[in-house]
Amino acid sequence: MKILVVGSGGREHAILRKLKESRTPVQLFAAPGNGGIAADAVCVPIKATDVDGMVAWAAKEHMDYVVVAPDDPLALGMVDALAARGIPAFGPTKAAAVIESSKVFSKN
């Protein structure tokens, strides 16, 4: 199974470390990742906010699953774009992510 985790922070690193414990053999990728994450996954030099680039790469590389952790790509609709290409993803849709990306919406 090929899994891509979008992001480069501590949250993404923790997700990758848990995925690495899977009993199912997995190939782990992180975009963009960082030096610490590189010990646990193959880092891909795509910005987390590059929705089109990320989705194109995930499709080209036949990712089985994508975990979108950071708020910005969620707010930009990355999960929606992945679903449109038939790629299963974990994370809220753009409509659901508005609660994270808009303080005004959250207050209202």
Side-chain angles (χ1 to χ4, degrees):
M1 176 174 257
K2 295 170 77 172
I3 301 174
L4 169 64
V5 175
V6 177
S8 60
R11 175 185 333 165
E12 293 79 23
H13 199 176
I15 290 167
L16 285 160
R17 295 294 298 265
K18 291 310 281 183
L19 288 169
K20 197 173 172 182
E21 295 175 8
S22 172
R23 292 182 187 184
T24 303
V26 292
Q27 288 180 280
L28 299 174
F29 300 85
N34 64 38
I37 287 174
D40 296 309
V42 175
C43 292
V44 181
I46 303 172
K47 289 183 180 183
T49 54
D50 181 359
V51 174
D52 293 336
M54 195 75 70
V55 172
W57 185 87
K60 183 181 117 203
E61 295 298 323
H62 307 287
M63 288 295 118
D64 295 303
Y65 198 69
V66 178
V67 177
V68 185
D71 296 343
D72 290 343
L74 292 169
L76 292 171
M78 187 173 288
V79 171
D80 304 82
L82 288 161
R85 293 287 297 265
I87 302 168
F90 176 85
T93 63
K94 182 177 183 175
V98 72
I99 197 161
E100 292 292 331
S101 62
S102 172
K103 301 252 188 280
V104 172
F105 176 85
S106 298
K107 284 181 180 181
N108 290 338

